[in-house]
Amino acid sequence: MTLVVVGASLAGLRAVESARRTGYRGRIVLIGAEEHLPYDRPPLSKAFLDADGPGEVTPFHSETVLRDELGVELMLGAPAESLDTGAREVTVAGAPVRYDALVIATGATARRLPGARTLRTAEDAVAVRAALDDGARTVVIGAGFIGSEVASAARKRGLPVTIVEASAVPLARAVGEVAGAELAGLHRAAGTELRLATEVTGVADGVRLSTGEVLPADLVVAGIGAVPATGWLEGSGLTLHERDRGVVCDATLSAGPPGVYAAGDVAHVANPLFDGEPMRPEHWTNAAEQGAAAARHALDPASARALEAVPYFWSDWYGHRIQFVGTPRADEVVSAGGVTLYRRGDRIVGALTVDRPREIMKYRRRVAARAEWGEALAFAGAA
């Protein structure tokens, strides 16, 4: 039997580890578009950008551990080109790789803007840090979490930075307008300039804005989102989401055809905990949990169970720890004293905290237990 994992990502690595941990002793092939061994991406926009950050991006495991201890056949430096679910084959560099069980973990690729850098790969992070080392005047396009972390790194060095955001409120889709407006205050307090409800019309000799303003910049970073890396799946018969072409999965991570599962940033997964809402959170915990589950289910479909995971992510800006659990799609949002709570029906479905690291997992447990809204408010002292 052969397990093929496409994507040398966190989700892909956790799939490999999970397969071995559950006792699978068959063949495992790990396919990765980058030449790098699997490495951790979140630090690329966090500690790695600091002036005293790590000197290089290090992999989760050495090649020796992957090959000898985990028994993985590595196919790195060439992306998957196509999938034939009838023949159970993935094509890589023109050659077929047959599978009995398949985990798709190809992640997402950064949306690009001509003239601007992205921050998604190890090479991206090296280039951005080099510019900051040189004292770059920085403009960040997009007020999402990665862009905000870049801004934070620039301000930590005392460099001027401006964030340009097309929406009137930062992070409205990720955390809702109430919390987004409050988080904007962290930027302003740190001296980061904001241009909200403003679009970029060009990046040449400065960043040109829809208002007519031109921002001088030595470094321009586009943090305008990412799209699932599924071009190789077009024509495969898998259902791809109409908006972003991510892989549509059921609650067990099944992508439809026998033996095919998907995990991480590439997958839209129905979550029974939130009324079957399809979710594609681009966060570390989600990728790790889904990668492990996808391998278990691909190898033993009869034992597959629906995942009822509570999404969780965190971000550091200007010395503040921001943490979120659940979903921001809610009927009501209440904010009080560093905590924002999200209600759907009569239960809590989400929570965001700033500088309250000891509390966030208590809210996560409440979301998982479908705790009543009144109880959550009382716990937060907002009743």
Side-chain angles (χ1 to χ4, degrees):
M1 184 172 182
T2 298
L3 168 66
V4 171
V5 178
V6 184
S9 58
L10 171 65
L13 178 64
R14 291 293 185 263
V16 168
E17 294 172 335
S18 174
R20 292 306 189 209
R21 190 166 54 247
T22 55
Y24 173 70
R25 294 292 177 263
R27 184 186 182 210
I28 298 179
V29 180
L30 179 62
I31 298 167
E34 295 184 53
E35 294 181 354
H36 302 288
L37 297 168
Y39 60 91
D40 205 9
R41 294 183 187 275
L44 299 183
S45 58
K46 296 180 174 71
F48 190 83
L49 296 185
D50 288 346
D52 58 353
E56 61 183 10
V57 177
T58 56
F60 287 108
H61 297 306
S62 67
E63 184 171 345
T64 298
V65 169
L66 288 169
R67 290 188 184 277
D68 297 345
E69 295 185 21
L70 290 172
V72 178
E73 296 179 30
L74 297 172
M75 298 182 65
L76 304 179
E81 297 168 347
S82 63
L83 168 64
D84 184 334
T85 58
R88 293 199 173 198
E89 290 179 346
V90 175
T91 301
V92 182
V97 180
R98 194 181 183 288
Y99 68 85
D100 297 289
L102 174 67
V103 174
I104 298 169
T106 42
T109 57
R111 288 191 176 95
R112 297 189 175 274
L113 183 68
R117 292 195 176 277
T118 56
L119 185 49
R120 189 79 184 184
T121 68
E123 288 77 12
D124 292 338
V126 169
V128 170
R129 187 169 77 174
L132 294 176
D133 287 343
D134 290 339
R137 296 169 298 177
T138 302
V139 173
V140 176
I141 303 171
F145 286 102
I146 289 179
S148 296
E149 289 167 2
V150 172
S152 177
R155 291 302 300 143
K156 187 174 183 179
R157 297 164 179 259
L159 302 176
V161 58
T162 301
I163 296 177
V164 183
E165 169 59 45
S167 299
V169 178
L171 292 163
R173 287 185 60 188
V175 300
E177 293 188 358
V178 173
E182 294 185 0
L183 294 180
L186 299 182
H187 289 302
R188 295 188 178 100
T192 295
E193 295 190 21
L194 295 177
R195 299 291 189 274
L196 302 177
T198 304
E199 296 187 357
V200 172
T201 60
V203 180
D205 299 322
V207 178
R208 299 182 179 276
L209 307 182
S210 56
T211 59
E213 183 181 8
V214 179
L215 301 174
D218 305 305
L219 170 66
V220 181
V221 179
I224 52 178
V227 293
T230 57
W232 65 287
L233 294 173
E234 296 289 349
S236 66
L238 267 62
T239 301
L240 303 181
H241 198 279
E242 60 182 6
R243 185 182 74 249
D244 61 14
R245 311 305 288 166
V247 180
V248 176
C249 301
D250 69 14
T252 71
L253 306 174
S254 170
V260 181
Y261 291 76
D265 294 3
V266 76
H268 288 268
V269 180
N271 192 328
L273 186 59
F274 301 97
D275 309 310
E277 176 184 332
M279 292 183 163
R280 192 180 71 83
E282 298 177 9
H283 302 298
W284 196 97
T285 304
N286 178 70
E289 292 175 345
Q290 288 188 355
R296 293 195 306 268
H297 296 175
L299 293 169
D300 186 10
S303 298
R305 296 292 182 269
L307 271 67
E308 291 194 346
V310 178
Y312 164 74
F313 66 82
W314 63 274
S315 186
D316 285 333
W317 306 357
Y318 316 111
H320 298 284
R321 172 61 57 92
I322 301 160
Q323 295 169 287
F324 184 88
V325 294
T327 176
R329 285 173 281 282
D331 301 325
E332 180 184 6
V333 179
V334 173
S335 184
V339 179
T340 303
L341 302 181
Y342 302 76
R343 175 185 67 81
R344 185 183 295 178
D346 61 355
R347 55 173 286 218
I348 179 175
V349 293
L352 179 142
T353 64
V354 178
D355 296 331
R356 295 194 173 194
R358 296 181 180 179
E359 295 181 14
I360 194 65
M361 289 306 157
K362 296 177 182 179
Y363 288 112
R364 193 183 194 198
R365 288 193 291 272
R366 283 170 166 79
V367 174
R370 297 175 169 85
E372 292 184 357
W373 177 243
E375 190 277 336
L377 286 177
F379 176 76

